[in-house]
Amino acid sequence: MKFMKLGSRPDTFYTTEAVRSVSTEVSSDLIIQVKDCRYMLHKFPLLSKCLRLQRLCVESSNSPQPQIIQLPDFPGGVEAFETCAKFCYGITITVSAFNIVALRCAAEYLQMTEDVEKGNLKYKLDVFFGSCILRGWKDSILALQSTKFLPLWCEDLGITSRCVDAVASKVLAHPTKVNLSHSYSRGGRDDASLCNGTESHRHRPVSKGWWAEDLAELGIDLYWRTMVAIKSGGKVPSNLIGDALKIYASRWLPNISKDGYISKREKSNPDTDSFEELTSKHRFLLESIISLLPMEKGSASCSFLLKLLKAANILGASSAAKMELARRVGFQLEEATVTDLLIPSLSQTDETLYDVDIVITILEHFMLQGQSPPTSPPRAKFGFERRRSRSAENVDFEFQEGRRSSSASHSSKLKVAKLIDRYQQEIAHDVNLPLSKVIALAEAIPDFARIDHDDLYKAIDIFLKSHPDLNKSERKRLCRVLDCKKLSMEACMHAAQNELLPLRVVVQVLFFEQARAVMAGGQVTELPSNIKALLATHESNLSKNPPFSSAGTCPTEDEWSVSGLKSPKSKLSTLRMKLAEEDDIDESFINHDGVLKNSKFKAICSLPGRPKRMFSKLWPSNRSVSERH
C-alpha cells in the first residue's frame, strides 16, 4: 500500500474542554465550527492556502474578533478538516488510499488550488492519486470503497469513474490471473480471502486473493458499475463472470434455510434496519446480480441460479427477475439436483410447501429447446453410392455434428426425466399438494425420456399414501400417467400388492408381467387359463352391458369374444386393448357390497405372502424344457 507524507513540523494540536487548538504563542483570531467540533485557529496559515475561507472572512469582517465561521456541510467531516488545517500549518500529515478521497473532496471545498498558492494540497493529491493510488490494485479498491461516503462529491470530481476504470483495466489486462496484488501493488503481499464460504470453481483453482473476492467487498452500486465495465471489455470469460457473481452473492445475500427462513447475521442486528428495509436492500441487490448474469449458457452453474431463484421467491423479487432465472435454469436443468429444485413457497394463496409452479415453468423452458432424440443418417439409394464431392463431405460432417448435439440433448432429457420423478417423490409428502400439479409435472416429460417408470411409480405411491382422501376417479387420473410395461420386476411385485392402486392398474401390472414372462421364453404360447377366464368373464359382462348405446353399433362376436381370436398374438393384443379402454373393468367384477364376483379373478388379484409363487402359477404350463432352466 502506497502512502505520502506532507509537512515536517510535529503535531501540536490539542483538546481543551471540547475545543481543538494549536499550541502556539500567538492568540487565536479565527474560530471554525465543523459540525459538533470547534477549532481555535489562526487566519494567516489558513487563509494563505484556502480561497473559500478568505471569502468567508471578508463577508464577516464586521463581526467581533475572533471571527466565527460555520462549516456544517464540510465533506469528510472533522477528520478531513483537521488534516487540511495541519497541512496549512506545515504539520506532518500522511495520505493513503484510506483518506485520499475525503481529503480531495475537502481540498475542493476549501478551494486549496494553485491559484492561491503553488504546490497546494489539491495539486499534490491529484498527482499522488494518479501516479500511485490508481496504479495499485489494492489501493484502487480501497479508494473506490471510500467513495461511498461522499457519492455526490466523488461523482462531480470524477473520482468514482477513475477508480472504476482503473480496477476494470487491471482485471481486463489479466482476466484469468488469480491474484492481482502481486502484479499491481509493490507491497507484494497476498490479500486475505474476503468471502466467507467460497466454493471451488470449475475453470480455475481456489486461491485466496482472487480479484472477485476483493471486489466482493464493494457495495452493490459500485460493484455493479465495476462489473459492467469489466463485462464491456469483452476479455473476461463468461464463466469467470458467473463465478465472481457467485462469490458476491454468497457474501451479501442472506443465508436462507431449506424452509425459507432468513438466518444468521440478518436477524442479529434488529436495531440497524427494520425487517422491511433489510428485505428491500436484499431484493435490490438480488435483482442487480441477476442483471449482471452473462447471456452465455453455462456461465453460471445451475445450482447457483436455483439458489438465486429461491432467494427471489423469499425476498419477493419482481416477476420479470424470477422468469429470467427460470429461463436460464431451463437451459441447463440437467445439472440440477432434487435439493436445488425444492424452492420454498411463501405465497399467501398457495398453501403448498414448495413452489411447484416455478418448477413447471422451468421444465417448459427446458422442453422448448426443441431438440429431438437422435435420428439415423440418410441411407444411400439403389444400393450404390456415388463419388461424393468435398461439399457433400462437409454437409455430412455437419450432419454428424448436429447428430452428436442431438444425442447430447436426448441424454439430458433422460437425466431431467429422472430428476423430475425424484423431485415428485419429495413433494408428494405435502398434504396440500394438488393432484393437478402432480399430473402436470408427470405429463410434461415425453414418453421416450422415461426408460423405466419405477421412480414415477414410487412418487405416485407416496402421493396416494399422503392423500388418503382421494376418490376413485382421482386415483385413476393419477395412475393414467403410469406405463405398467416400463415397471421393473420389483416394482411390479410391489404394485400387485398395493391396495391404494385402482384395480384396473393392478390387472394391467399382472397382465404385462405375464406377457413379459411369455415373451422371455422366445415364443408366444397359448394364454394361461386364468387370463382366459378373466377375458371370458369380461366379455360376458360386456355382452350384457355393451359400451355403445346407439343401435347398430354393438361389437360383433368376432371383435370381442375369445372364440373370435385367431392366434395367441391376437389374444394378447385384444386383452391389451381392453385394458386400455376408458371403461372401468373393475366395475364388472365387483358387487355393490364390494365383493369380487369371479373366483378366478379373485385368485389373480389376491395378495399372497410369496409373490414368486403367484407368478409361477401364472406362467403357462406348456413351456419347453429349455425355458424351465
Side-chain angles (χ1 to χ4, degrees), residues 59-87:
E59 292 173 1
S60 60
S61 59
N62 297 327
S63 62
Q65 296 296 326
Q67 285 185 307
I68 301 177
I69 297 177
Q70 301 282 345
L71 302 176
D73 56 345
F74 192 87
V78 174
E79 185 177 353
F81 173 79
E82 185 167 321
T83 304
C84 291
K86 288 179 179 179
F87 173 80

Side-chain angles (χ1 to χ4, degrees), residues 123-144:
Y123 172 76
K124 293 180 181 292
L125 292 176
D126 285 341
V127 172
F128 179 66
F129 186 68
S131 61
C132 295
I133 297 298
L134 294 183
R135 290 190 178 183
W137 168 255
K138 192 67 174 179
D139 290 335
S140 300
I141 296 291
L142 291 174
L144 181 58

Side-chain angles (χ1 to χ4, degrees), residues 258-438:
K258 182 179 178 181
D259 298 328
Y261 295 102
I262 297 176
S263 59
K264 228 168 87 174
R265 62 179 181 273
E266 289 68 32
K267 288 187 176 181
S268 60
N269 298 322
D271 299 332
T272 55
D273 293 308
S274 66
F275 179 77
E276 290 75 13
E277 292 175 346
L278 196 61
T279 302
S280 178
K281 289 180 181 179
H282 286 146
R283 186 186 306 118
F284 175 73
L285 187 146
L286 173 66
E287 293 177 352
S288 299
I289 292 175
I290 295 173
S291 68
L292 290 173
L293 289 169
M295 296 301 297
E296 292 82 0
K297 176 182 176 181
S299 57
S301 67
C302 188
S303 176
F304 172 56
L305 294 174
L306 284 167
K307 286 178 181 177
L308 291 181
L309 185 55
K310 187 180 297 185
N313 244 24
I314 293 170
L315 297 173
S318 64
S319 298
K322 289 193 282 189
M323 289 302 102
E324 174 64 16
L325 287 174
R327 183 186 68 83
R328 290 174 177 270
V329 172
F331 290 149
Q332 50 196 99
L333 183 57
E334 67 274 10
E335 301 174 11
T337 64
V338 174
T339 305
D340 294 334
L341 291 178
L342 296 177
I343 302 172
S345 174
L346 300 181
S347 173
Q348 301 294 331
T349 58
D350 193 353
E351 296 181 353
T352 57
L353 294 177
Y354 303 107
D355 192 342
V356 182
D357 292 330
I358 196 68
V359 176
I360 294 176
T361 303
I362 292 172
L363 188 56
E364 290 173 352
H365 282 293
F366 174 79
M367 293 300 173
L368 282 176
Q369 295 181 80
Q371 295 178 347
S372 59
T375 56
S376 301
R379 298 177 181 270
K381 296 181 179 180
F382 307 112
F384 66 93
E385 186 180 28
R386 295 182 178 179
R387 184 177 182 274
R388 306 188 326 158
S389 64
R390 187 176 301 274
S391 60
E393 293 176 355
N394 291 337
V395 170
D396 185 65
F397 175 76
E398 292 176 0
F399 177 82
Q400 295 296 337
E401 289 296 315
R403 188 183 179 205
R404 269 191 220 101
S405 63
S406 179
S407 298
S409 173
H410 179 62
S411 63
S412 67
K413 288 183 179 180
L414 298 182
K415 293 179 182 178
V416 168
K418 209 77 172 174
L419 172 68
I420 294 300
D421 288 347
R422 290 176 180 174
Y423 168 75
Q424 289 196 92
Q425 294 174 19
E426 291 293 328
I427 64 173
H429 295 280
D430 183 7
V431 295
N432 295 318
L433 181 64
L435 176 65
S436 58
K437 294 185 179 182
V438 178

